[in-house]
Each structure stands twice: as C-alpha cells, then as structure tokens.
Amino acid sequence: MTSKERVLKALRREKADRPASDLRCTQEVWDALKEHFSLDTVEDILDKLDIDMRWITAGSIPFIGPKERSAPTLGAEGTDIFGCVMKAAKNKYNTYYEFVGYPLGNCKTVEEIYEYDWPSQDWWDYSKVKDVIKLHKKTDDRAIMFFAGGTFETPWYMRGMEQFFMDLYENPEIVEAICTKVEEYYYQRALRVLDAADGQIDIIGSGGDIGGQQCLMLNPDTWRKLIKPHTSGLVKPFKDMGLMTFYHSCGSVSEVIPDLAEIGVDILDPIQVTAKNMYPEYLAEKYADIISFHGAIDEVELLPHATAKQVYDETIRIISILGKNGGFVVSPSHQVQGDTSVEKIIALFNAVKDFRYT
C-alpha cells in the first residue's frame, strides 16, 4: 500500500495496513533532526521517518512579488503579503514571530477595506509547483496537501485581534468585507496551484484557531453567522471538485464539529487533547462516524516531558481509540517544539509503524 492510499483511506474512515502519519516541526527541531540523521533537507527527514502526508504551502512556492511584502506570515521579521508586520520573539527553545502592525487597524468603512492594496495572485511562480511536489515523491507516492489559508485568522491579523473581536458585534459589515476579500484571495490562489499541479494535489487544507482551552473564542452562533460561510468557501468548492479537505483549529472546537462536517471537512486537526471535550474517548464516541482526526499526540505535556517509552505507549493507546474505524492520521498536536528530543519523535513514529489494524 502506498502512503497516498493510506492517507486517503484515513480521510474516508477506512482501515489501511497501518495508521497514516504526518509531522510538523519548528525550524529548531528540523535542524536537530537533520543533525541526528545526517540529512540535508526536511523532505529527506520525512522520508527517513516514512511520513505519509506532505504539506505544500505558499511558502513552498517561489515568491516573485515585491520585496517589501515578502516575509512569510508568522515565519520571519518584516511585512507579509497582506501588509501585516511581524517581529521576532525568542525563548530558549524556539524563535516565534508576533504581529506588531495591523494594516487595516484604523479602517472605519467597508469602502476603505475594498480600496486597500490587496496582494496580487501574480506574486507566486506557479510553474514550480510540480517541482516542489516531486521532492516529496522520491521514495513513495505521498498524499499531497496544499494549505490554502484561512478566513478567520488572516482577517484578525490584518485588523488586530481585539478590534476584530469587537467588530464581530459592533461592525459586522467590516468583518464581512475583510473575510470576503481574504476568502477570495485564498480561493483564487488555490485554484492556480491546483491548475499548476495538474492532478497531483489530493487534499486542500484551510483553518483558523477558533478554540480556546474551555470553549470557542467566540459565541458559536456568531461564528455560524459571520465566519462559517467564509470557512465553507475554502472547503465546499474543493470538496465538490472531488478533493479531500482538511481543517485546522487549535483548542476546544467540539461544539462545531458537526458544522465542519456539514460544510465538507473530511479531517480535523490538531486535536488538542488537553482542551475541554477534545479528549480522544469523547471525540471517538461522538464524532468518529462523521469526521476523521489528525494529530492528538499531545505537544503540551506528553512530548516535552514524558519518556520515549511513554510516548510510544501513549501513541499506541491514542491510535486504538481515534483509529478504531481507520479515520486517524497520527501526528503531534501541533508543530513539535524545541523542548522535545529527537528520541521521542522517533518513538512516536515507531509506534505508528508497529501498529497494525485488524
């Protein structure tokens, strides 16, 4: 069975030979893995660990737009394509990038939103998409996902979180305008990537962190009224094209899982198991028949603090719960951070390789 077949079975909630896998890391962890394995590229590491699911993002595609708006969102200091300004914030394990400038923060009218200098679709060299995909298919036919973007986080990145959340109640027309423009941009860019890939993309990803530790960060009905239609705009059209779909949100999102399934989401990421009503037993009982799961190997407590054997054992346990019908892609519950050792990452994926569906 190929990696691609394994992943697609998981998204269809069918059992394969073993669970499918995925991995995301901070740059510091990628560097540690390169040193450990004496390898040069992220793709080589993913092949070494036999990771099934592979991400293509806009950052994977050569940027040919203006230098003054070339910083990758949340990936470097500077200004990104939307005009958001980021500054580095470091701790002893990792470097992160925080927003310090919000280009739509002072807008007062819908007209100002539409008159803003929105990014061009022509700022990417789409002719290189096939080359990027080829890097991931050197050793097996991998499942390729293009992560299109999101219509909740990017709007607040541009507006400022506090102002955007106030707008949800005081200026919903501003919210609608920003979300509409962001959705339109991400949708059209994804179409160009799909066209350039010529059938080699299997999954379209989108997302936006709408969950807190105890509940959604906004009233569920407000989300359904103002945000869900734009979330659907990056899911349903691609589902209707025959592609599989992926949605990312950290935190407690269990109360809107039926909504996500309704608009066509096939698999939910990252299953933050320490958040309310996101523990595996609860999700498997309530939602395993309508959606697949991606993630769930705890990045908050388990990976940084447990032993390698405990990581192995817990991974086996989680697979037996969330993968009971095959609908599970095993992955850390977010990017692996610099306080997790290489040995524990290896233990996680050894568990994946050792598990066999019956």
Side-chain angles (χ1 to χ4, degrees), residues 52 183 295:
D52 298 299
E183 176 193 340

Side-chain angles (χ1 to χ4, degrees), residues 179 203 215 350:
C179 291
I203 309 161
C215 59
N350 281 342

Side-chain angles (χ1 to χ4, degrees), residues 42-92:
V42 169
E43 292 83 10
D44 289 337
I45 294 166
L46 296 172
D47 285 342
K48 178 71 176 179
L49 294 170
D50 200 17
I51 303 301
D52 298 299
M53 189 168 163
R54 304 297 177 91
W55 294 49
I56 303 297
T57 66
S60 310
I61 306 167
F63 182 78
I64 56 174
K67 184 176 180 181
E68 64 271 18
R69 285 173 69 169
S70 63
T73 303
L74 293 174
E77 287 194 327
T79 303
D80 74 358
I81 61 169
F82 291 102
C84 303
V85 182
M86 296 158 292
K87 183 178 180 181
K90 299 182 180 182
N91 62 28
K92 65 180 181 178

